[in-house]
Amino acid sequence: MINIKEAIKIAGEMFIEREGRKMTDGDEFIAAFNNCTAAVSLEDGKFDIHFIDNAPLIVDADVDVYSKED
């Protein structure tokens, strides 16, 4: 089992790998671990990390949240 600091470090490295850059203000992501889920965001240069004490519910569906309205 890893500690919280190490878990967030790994998740941050995965963000950099996926996005090709470090987090900037307004960025946020969800990290799903084996026994919990973490919501990580950066605002005004400060990280906000919120752990949820269970694995995420995986919904096999696409949500029409990013499409433009006509």
Side-chain angles (χ1 to χ4, degrees):
M1 189 170 296
I2 60 176
N3 65 40
I4 292 171
K5 185 176 180 178
E6 186 177 355
I8 295 304
K9 180 179 183 240
I10 292 168
E13 289 169 352
M14 291 177 73
F15 177 90
I16 292 169
E17 184 177 317
R18 183 183 70 187
E19 300 296 325
R21 61 179 177 78
K22 291 183 178 183
M23 290 182 74
T24 58
D25 278 349
D27 284 340
E28 58 189 0
F29 67 87
I30 301 294
F33 299 97
N34 292 336
N35 64 339
C36 66
T37 303
V40 180
S41 62
L42 181 65
E43 195 65 46
D44 296 327
K46 296 180 182 179
F47 285 100
D48 181 42
I49 303 165
H50 177 77
F51 282 93
I52 300 169
D53 188 23
N54 54 35
L57 301 173
I58 306 300
V59 179
D60 186 18
D62 294 326
V63 179
D64 187 19
V65 68
Y66 298 110
S67 66
K68 295 180 181 178
E69 292 185 29
D70 293 327

